[in-house]
Amino acid sequence: LVDQVKPGGWAALGQLAIGDLIQTIDGKVIGGIDDVESSMAAIAEAEPESVVIKVLRGIHTLFIELEPQWDA
């Protein structure tokens, strides 16, 4: 469950919101914070062009595509 989004960060720019329940990150099922941390560490190392996060927001399921700028 997202409890904080840094204003101006790439999650905020991708419209990830407080209260979103993260279900998958790039297709990997998320069961808790340890899964989020390991997924994000692997993503930071690989530096992909985009990251897709599946979230449950209320009764809606959303796919949020983030496009980080790794060279910044």
Side-chain angles (χ1 to χ4, degrees):
L1 186 64
V2 177
D3 66 359
Q4 181 180 6
V5 177
K6 182 179 177 181
W10 54 279
L13 294 173
Q15 299 190 8
L16 189 66
I18 294 172
D20 285 348
L21 178 62
I22 298 173
Q23 297 182 314
T24 67
I25 297 177
D26 275 350
K28 180 181 176 189
V29 175
I30 301 300
I33 191 69
D34 291 337
D35 293 339
V36 173
E37 290 174 350
S38 65
S39 291
M40 295 310 293
I43 288 167
E45 186 174 319
E47 296 186 357
E49 289 185 28
S50 66
V51 178
V52 176
I53 300 176
K54 178 182 172 186
V55 300
L56 182 63
R57 182 178 294 166
I59 62 170
H60 303 284
T61 299
L62 306 168
F63 291 89
I64 297 174
E65 183 175 7
L66 307 175
E67 296 180 358
Q69 292 184 340
W70 299 106
D71 57 355

XYZ file of all heavy atoms in Angstrom:
535
model
N 0.856 -1.176 0.000
C 0.000 0.000 0.000
C 0.897 1.232 0.000
O 1.775 1.350 0.853
C -0.913 -0.022 1.222
C -1.963 1.066 1.290
C -2.958 0.938 0.148
C -2.690 0.984 2.612
N 0.708 2.103 -0.945
C 1.524 3.316 -1.051
C 1.088 4.300 0.031
O -0.077 4.663 0.109
C 1.374 3.953 -2.453
C 2.161 5.254 -2.543
C 1.802 2.975 -3.536
N 2.043 4.695 0.885
C 1.702 5.655 1.936
C 2.398 6.992 1.752
O 2.158 7.929 2.504
C 1.979 5.085 3.329
C 3.452 4.833 3.598
O 4.292 5.074 2.713
O 3.765 4.388 4.710
N 3.256 7.083 0.725
C 3.945 8.344 0.461
C 4.410 8.363 -0.992
O 4.878 7.355 -1.509
C 5.157 8.481 1.384
C 5.930 9.741 1.221
C 7.118 9.815 2.176
O 7.433 8.867 2.890
N 7.776 10.940 2.185
N 4.267 9.504 -1.637
C 4.767 9.721 -2.988
C 5.511 11.046 -2.971
O 4.934 12.080 -2.619
C 3.635 9.748 -4.040
C 4.187 10.042 -5.416
C 2.863 8.439 -4.037
N 6.780 11.032 -3.342
C 7.598 12.245 -3.333
C 7.140 13.192 -4.445
O 7.149 12.817 -5.624
C 9.068 11.874 -3.534
C 10.012 13.047 -3.500
C 11.446 12.580 -3.675
C 12.394 13.754 -3.715
N 13.784 13.304 -3.919
N 6.725 14.408 -4.097
C 6.300 15.369 -5.122
C 7.427 15.615 -6.135
O 8.579 15.803 -5.765
C 6.010 16.639 -4.325
C 5.734 16.164 -2.928
C 6.620 14.956 -2.745
N 7.085 15.545 -7.413
C 8.059 15.779 -8.470
C 8.883 14.556 -8.818
O 9.627 14.575 -9.776
N 8.773 13.481 -8.049
C 9.490 12.244 -8.350
C 8.840 11.517 -9.518
O 7.728 11.833 -9.925
N 9.544 10.502 -10.079
C 8.973 9.857 -11.252
C 7.729 9.064 -10.930
O 6.870 8.890 -11.784
C 9.997 9.095 -12.069
C 10.860 8.068 -11.427
C 12.007 8.282 -10.709
C 10.696 6.648 -11.475
N 12.536 7.102 -10.306
C 11.766 6.067 -10.763
C 9.762 5.803 -12.041
C 11.916 4.701 -10.606
C 9.920 4.441 -11.887
C 10.988 3.909 -11.179
N 7.535 8.600 -9.693
C 6.280 7.934 -9.330
C 5.119 8.933 -9.342
O 4.042 8.640 -9.856
C 6.405 7.278 -7.961
N 5.360 10.119 -8.802
C 4.323 11.155 -8.802
C 4.006 11.601 -10.226
O 2.835 11.785 -10.581
C 4.759 12.348 -7.959
N 5.023 11.756 -11.043
C 4.802 12.161 -12.432
C 4.030 11.098 -13.206
O 3.278 11.414 -14.123
C 6.130 12.470 -13.122
C 6.879 13.682 -12.568
C 8.259 13.798 -13.219
C 6.081 14.948 -12.769
N 4.214 9.830 -12.823
C 3.468 8.740 -13.446
C 2.088 8.549 -12.847
O 1.360 7.653 -13.227
N 1.746 9.397 -11.868
C 0.444 9.437 -11.207
C 0.198 8.273 -10.259
O -0.940 7.890 -10.008
C -0.676 9.596 -12.225
C -0.515 10.888 -12.999
C -1.703 11.228 -13.852
O -2.737 10.598 -13.797
N -1.553 12.253 -14.665
N 1.266 7.713 -9.682
C 1.103 6.790 -8.571
C 0.607 7.618 -7.398
O 1.074 8.741 -7.186
C 2.444 6.128 -8.223
C 2.396 4.980 -7.217
C 1.636 3.792 -7.797
C 3.795 4.558 -6.827
N -0.366 7.113 -6.653
C -1.012 7.922 -5.625
C -0.992 7.225 -4.266
O -0.955 5.996 -4.174
C -2.449 8.225 -6.016
N -1.038 8.043 -3.226
C -1.166 7.525 -1.866
C -2.460 6.714 -1.801
O -3.497 7.144 -2.298
C -1.176 8.678 -0.845
C 0.187 9.370 -0.837
C -1.550 8.174 0.539
C 0.244 10.639 -0.019
N -2.384 5.531 -1.215
C -3.539 4.648 -1.115
C -3.595 3.580 -2.193
O -4.377 2.640 -2.089
N -2.758 3.710 -3.239
C -2.704 2.673 -4.271
C -2.139 1.395 -3.664
O -1.187 1.432 -2.877
C -1.802 3.091 -5.434
C -2.430 4.138 -6.339
O -3.641 4.395 -6.215
O -1.693 4.689 -7.177
N -2.703 0.264 -4.054
C -2.184 -1.032 -3.638
C -1.405 -1.599 -4.813
O -1.983 -1.906 -5.865
C -3.313 -1.984 -3.238
C -2.888 -3.382 -2.828
C -1.990 -3.335 -1.591
C -4.095 -4.260 -2.587
N -0.092 -1.716 -4.672
C 0.749 -2.227 -5.749
C 0.563 -3.736 -5.834
O 0.773 -4.454 -4.860
C 2.229 -1.875 -5.512
C 2.404 -0.356 -5.507
C 3.110 -2.535 -6.571
C 3.797 0.112 -5.124
N 0.167 -4.216 -7.016
C -0.055 -5.645 -7.228
C 1.103 -6.295 -7.967
O 1.488 -7.409 -7.635
C -1.363 -5.872 -7.971
C -2.568 -5.391 -7.158
C -3.874 -5.649 -7.868
O -4.004 -5.373 -9.060
N -4.832 -6.186 -7.136
N 1.619 -5.621 -8.996
C 2.781 -6.138 -9.725
C 3.684 -4.980 -10.130
O 3.229 -3.843 -10.298
C 2.396 -6.922 -11.007
O 1.830 -6.028 -11.963
C 1.448 -8.064 -10.712
N 4.962 -5.290 -10.293
C 5.929 -4.353 -10.864
C 6.618 -5.096 -11.994
O 7.260 -6.123 -11.769
C 6.961 -3.868 -9.828
C 6.265 -3.093 -8.701
C 8.031 -2.995 -10.498
C 7.192 -2.643 -7.584
N 6.446 -4.603 -13.213
C 6.960 -5.259 -14.417
C 6.611 -6.747 -14.451
O 7.429 -7.595 -14.781
C 8.466 -5.051 -14.570
C 8.800 -3.737 -15.256
O 7.878 -3.075 -15.772
O 9.983 -3.375 -15.288
N 5.372 -7.056 -14.087
C 4.867 -8.418 -14.154
C 5.185 -9.292 -12.949
O 4.670 -10.393 -12.833
N 6.027 -8.818 -12.034
C 6.375 -9.595 -10.839
C 5.361 -9.301 -9.738
O 5.161 -8.136 -9.371
C 7.783 -9.243 -10.364
C 8.207 -10.020 -9.140
C 9.595 -9.642 -8.667
C 9.910 -10.397 -7.386
N 11.142 -9.928 -6.771
N 4.744 -10.351 -9.202
C 3.739 -10.189 -8.153
C 4.398 -9.634 -6.887
O 5.462 -10.088 -6.476
C 3.046 -11.534 -7.840
C 2.084 -11.395 -6.668
C 2.308 -12.042 -9.074
N 3.748 -8.632 -6.301
C 4.253 -7.978 -5.100
C 3.436 -8.440 -3.902
O 2.223 -8.253 -3.866
C 4.178 -6.440 -5.249
C 4.989 -5.977 -6.451
C 4.610 -5.750 -3.962
C 6.462 -6.305 -6.400
N 4.122 -9.025 -2.926
C 3.450 -9.507 -1.735
C 3.740 -8.676 -0.505
O 3.121 -8.864 0.540
N 4.688 -7.745 -0.618
C 5.044 -6.915 0.524
C 6.183 -5.982 0.181
O 6.673 -5.947 -0.951
N 6.619 -5.245 1.179
C 7.655 -4.228 0.964
C 8.979 -4.833 0.502
O 9.695 -4.223 -0.289
C 7.836 -3.344 2.230
C 8.706 -2.123 1.927
C 8.430 -4.136 3.367
C 8.072 -1.119 1.041
N 9.296 -6.045 0.968
C 10.538 -6.688 0.527
C 10.524 -6.933 -0.978
O 11.548 -6.765 -1.652
C 10.764 -8.005 1.270
C 11.080 -7.805 2.741
O 11.549 -6.698 3.106
O 10.858 -8.742 3.530
N 9.359 -7.324 -1.520
C 9.232 -7.529 -2.963
C 9.399 -6.218 -3.724
O 10.013 -6.179 -4.789
C 7.878 -8.145 -3.300
C 7.719 -9.566 -2.782
O 8.738 -10.233 -2.515
O 6.558 -10.004 -2.633
N 8.845 -5.134 -3.178
C 8.990 -3.821 -3.819
C 10.463 -3.419 -3.838
O 10.982 -3.005 -4.880
C 8.156 -2.740 -3.093
C 8.455 -1.354 -3.660
C 6.671 -3.039 -3.202
N 11.134 -3.557 -2.703
C 12.548 -3.169 -2.617
C 13.423 -3.972 -3.559
O 14.272 -3.411 -4.252
C 13.036 -3.295 -1.178
C 12.440 -2.245 -0.257
C 12.809 -2.439 1.205
O 13.372 -3.493 1.573
O 12.523 -1.514 1.994
N 13.212 -5.291 -3.640
C 14.043 -6.107 -4.531
C 13.737 -5.807 -5.995
O 14.653 -5.740 -6.827
C 13.875 -7.600 -4.228
O 12.573 -8.041 -4.506
N 12.460 -5.583 -6.322
C 12.099 -5.234 -7.699
C 12.702 -3.902 -8.104
O 13.254 -3.767 -9.206
C 10.579 -5.173 -7.858
O 10.010 -6.442 -7.747
N 12.611 -2.913 -7.226
C 13.149 -1.594 -7.558
C 14.676 -1.608 -7.641
O 15.254 -0.900 -8.468
C 12.659 -0.553 -6.553
C 11.143 -0.333 -6.605
S 10.474 -0.038 -8.266
C 11.197 1.545 -8.640
N 15.330 -2.417 -6.828
C 16.794 -2.536 -6.915
C 17.192 -3.137 -8.264
O 18.127 -2.654 -8.919
C 17.324 -3.382 -5.765
N 16.483 -4.172 -8.696
C 16.765 -4.788 -9.994
C 16.491 -3.816 -11.131
O 17.253 -3.749 -12.108
C 15.932 -6.060 -10.157
N 15.429 -3.041 -11.016
C 15.089 -2.050 -12.039
C 16.153 -0.959 -12.104
O 16.588 -0.559 -13.184
C 13.691 -1.465 -11.778
C 12.634 -2.529 -12.109
C 13.453 -0.184 -12.562
C 11.242 -2.214 -11.625
N 16.602 -0.477 -10.953
C 17.637 0.565 -10.918
C 18.933 0.071 -11.555
O 19.636 0.831 -12.219
C 17.880 1.020 -9.486
N 19.227 -1.199 -11.365
C 20.449 -1.765 -11.955
C 20.311 -1.920 -13.471
O 21.240 -1.640 -14.223
C 20.750 -3.121 -11.325
C 22.073 -3.710 -11.762
C 22.414 -4.977 -11.019
O 22.194 -5.041 -9.797
O 22.919 -5.911 -11.675
N 19.129 -2.351 -13.918
C 18.905 -2.586 -15.350
C 18.645 -1.302 -16.134
O 18.868 -1.262 -17.342
C 17.733 -3.547 -15.537
N 18.152 -0.260 -15.470
C 17.814 1.021 -16.095
C 16.962 0.871 -17.361
O 17.324 1.354 -18.431
C 19.080 1.823 -16.401
C 19.859 2.219 -15.165
C 21.034 3.132 -15.448
O 21.320 3.435 -16.630
O 21.674 3.546 -14.480
N 15.794 0.235 -17.250
C 14.929 0.096 -18.431
C 14.322 1.434 -18.844
O 14.296 2.382 -18.057
C 13.837 -0.869 -17.945
C 13.751 -0.592 -16.475
C 15.168 -0.298 -16.044
N 13.821 1.487 -20.074
C 13.196 2.711 -20.567
C 11.888 3.006 -19.851
O 11.494 4.164 -19.721
C 12.944 2.609 -22.068
C 14.209 2.670 -22.890
C 13.925 2.693 -24.378
O 12.838 3.176 -24.783
O 14.773 2.226 -25.136
N 11.187 1.955 -19.418
C 9.930 2.159 -18.713
C 9.708 1.042 -17.697
O 10.306 -0.026 -17.793
C 8.753 2.219 -19.689
O 8.576 0.972 -20.324
N 8.852 1.322 -16.735
C 8.483 0.372 -15.693
C 6.953 0.404 -15.600
O 6.364 1.478 -15.534
C 9.087 0.773 -14.318
C 8.656 -0.186 -13.240
C 10.606 0.875 -14.408
N 6.331 -0.775 -15.617
C 4.871 -0.841 -15.531
C 4.486 -1.376 -14.156
O 4.951 -2.431 -13.727
C 4.275 -1.734 -16.639
C 2.763 -1.859 -16.477
C 4.624 -1.180 -18.005
N 3.641 -0.611 -13.475
C 3.166 -0.987 -12.150
C 1.653 -1.166 -12.228
O 0.935 -0.264 -12.661
C 3.519 0.089 -11.106
C 5.032 0.281 -11.048
C 2.969 -0.288 -9.737
C 5.485 1.386 -10.127
N 1.192 -2.338 -11.810
C -0.251 -2.606 -11.749
C -0.700 -2.292 -10.337
O -0.146 -2.812 -9.372
C -0.526 -4.070 -12.081
C -1.989 -4.454 -12.007
C -2.153 -5.942 -12.300
C -3.567 -6.389 -12.050
N -3.674 -7.863 -12.205
N -1.684 -1.413 -10.224
C -2.167 -1.005 -8.901
C -3.685 -1.152 -8.821
O -4.392 -1.092 -9.824
C -1.772 0.455 -8.553
C -0.275 0.633 -8.551
C -2.425 1.452 -9.475
N -4.143 -1.338 -7.605
C -5.567 -1.315 -7.306
C -5.835 0.004 -6.607
O -5.223 0.310 -5.580
C -5.942 -2.490 -6.396
C -7.417 -2.619 -6.038
C -8.251 -2.877 -7.294
C -7.608 -3.758 -5.036
N -6.698 0.824 -7.201
C -7.051 2.130 -6.643
C -8.568 2.125 -6.441
O -9.328 2.266 -7.395
C -6.629 3.252 -7.584
C -6.922 4.642 -7.045
C -6.442 5.727 -7.994
N -4.991 5.729 -8.089
C -4.318 6.384 -9.039
N -4.957 7.081 -9.951
N -3.002 6.333 -9.070
N -8.952 1.917 -5.192
C -10.378 1.769 -4.920
C -10.884 0.503 -5.589
O -10.345 -0.571 -5.367
N -11.892 0.648 -6.455
C -12.415 -0.514 -7.171
C -11.814 -0.651 -8.571
O -12.175 -1.550 -9.321
C -13.955 -0.454 -7.275
C -14.413 0.772 -8.062
C -14.584 -0.506 -5.895
C -15.885 0.767 -8.418
N -10.861 0.217 -8.908
C -10.280 0.240 -10.246
C -8.874 -0.351 -10.265
O -8.070 -0.076 -9.375
C -10.223 1.671 -10.785
C -11.556 2.337 -10.822
N -12.503 2.063 -11.779
C -12.126 3.242 -9.995
C -13.584 2.775 -11.550
N -13.381 3.502 -10.468
N -8.597 -1.140 -11.286
C -7.248 -1.634 -11.524
C -6.627 -0.768 -12.607
O -7.238 -0.547 -13.653
C -7.275 -3.108 -11.970
O -7.872 -3.890 -10.936
C -5.868 -3.621 -12.244
N -5.427 -0.269 -12.333
C -4.738 0.618 -13.271
C -3.353 0.076 -13.590
O -2.715 -0.552 -12.740
C -4.571 2.014 -12.668
C -5.814 2.706 -12.150
C -5.418 3.925 -11.339
C -6.688 3.113 -13.315
N -2.884 0.349 -14.787
C -1.511 0.078 -15.157
C -0.827 1.430 -15.324
O -1.236 2.226 -16.167
C -1.429 -0.738 -16.449
C -1.929 -2.137 -16.275
C -3.270 -2.441 -16.461
C -1.053 -3.145 -15.902
C -3.737 -3.733 -16.282
C -1.511 -4.446 -15.725
C -2.855 -4.735 -15.920
N 0.175 1.667 -14.511
C 0.887 2.936 -14.541
C 2.245 2.687 -15.179
O 3.018 1.852 -14.700
C 1.050 3.509 -13.121
C -0.341 3.801 -12.530
C 1.937 4.744 -13.128
C -0.315 4.223 -11.089
N 2.526 3.391 -16.261
C 3.815 3.251 -16.932
C 4.684 4.445 -16.558
O 4.327 5.591 -16.808
C 3.644 3.194 -18.449
C 4.963 2.968 -19.157
C 4.818 2.797 -20.654
O 3.701 2.991 -21.189
O 5.816 2.478 -21.295
N 5.801 4.143 -15.943
C 6.750 5.171 -15.538
C 7.924 5.153 -16.502
O 8.381 4.089 -16.905
C 7.244 4.906 -14.113
C 6.153 4.721 -13.049
C 6.791 4.344 -11.720
C 5.326 5.960 -12.912
N 8.414 6.333 -16.872
C 9.563 6.452 -17.768
C 10.649 7.271 -17.086
O 10.763 8.473 -17.311
C 9.120 7.093 -19.092
C 8.131 6.240 -19.858
C 7.688 6.863 -21.168
O 8.112 8.005 -21.487
O 6.932 6.204 -21.882
N 11.441 6.607 -16.237
C 12.485 7.335 -15.516
C 13.593 7.814 -16.447
O 13.832 7.222 -17.496
C 13.010 6.311 -14.518
C 12.673 4.988 -15.108
C 11.430 5.181 -15.918
N 14.238 8.897 -16.034
C 15.406 9.398 -16.770
C 16.630 9.032 -15.945
O 16.907 9.651 -14.915
C 15.307 10.902 -16.976
C 14.201 11.273 -17.923
C 14.165 12.767 -18.198
O 14.691 13.574 -17.443
N 13.529 13.145 -19.280
N 17.336 8.017 -16.379
C 18.449 7.474 -15.610
C 19.689 8.354 -15.672
O 20.520 8.296 -14.776
C 18.775 6.066 -16.108
C 17.621 5.154 -15.938
C 16.792 4.680 -16.919
C 17.123 4.611 -14.718
N 15.824 3.876 -16.379
C 15.999 3.809 -15.031
C 17.517 4.712 -13.385
C 15.278 3.111 -14.067
C 16.781 4.019 -12.429
C 15.688 3.238 -12.765
N 19.811 9.183 -16.665
C 21.014 10.003 -16.805
C 20.945 11.294 -15.990
O 21.904 12.034 -15.926
C 21.285 10.340 -18.266
C 20.110 11.051 -18.940
O 19.051 11.194 -18.309
O 20.269 11.445 -20.103
N 19.813 11.565 -15.373
C 19.648 12.809 -14.620
C 20.345 12.757 -13.276
O 20.600 11.791 -12.676
C 18.168 13.115 -14.431
